[in-house]
Amino acid sequence: MRLPAEPAEVLDIPESDIPEVVGALVAEKRLSTLMSAIHANLWSDDPALRQQGTAALRRLGFPD
């Protein structure tokens, strides 16, 4: 399984695989790096990147 490194990659993960992916990200200590990338999108001046960051958080199961 390829783990996401960017917010756009999170959106390509089937919803049924999210728990396994999050578990793997935690186990490999890569979740915080991904979350940093998502938060960078959330603070972007580009509305499309902000929307992508919000969608990635939702896909991972985090509330807005």
Side-chain angles (χ1 to χ4, degrees):
M1 160 182 28
R2 186 171 181 276
L3 296 178
E6 297 294 328
E9 295 172 357
V10 171
L11 302 177
D12 293 332
I13 301 169
E15 194 170 321
S16 61
D17 293 347
I18 293 295
E20 181 182 351
V21 169
V22 171
L25 287 165
V26 170
E28 294 190 21
K29 299 182 187 219
R30 294 174 47 189
L31 181 61
S32 63
T33 301
L34 176 60
M35 294 304 291
S36 292
I38 291 171
H39 282 108
N41 278 16
L42 293 173
W43 288 99
S44 173
D45 290 332
D46 182 342
L49 287 178
R50 287 195 308 268
Q51 183 179 14
Q52 184 182 73
T54 299
L57 279 179
R58 285 185 188 143
R59 175 68 106 195
L60 291 173
F62 293 97
D64 293 344

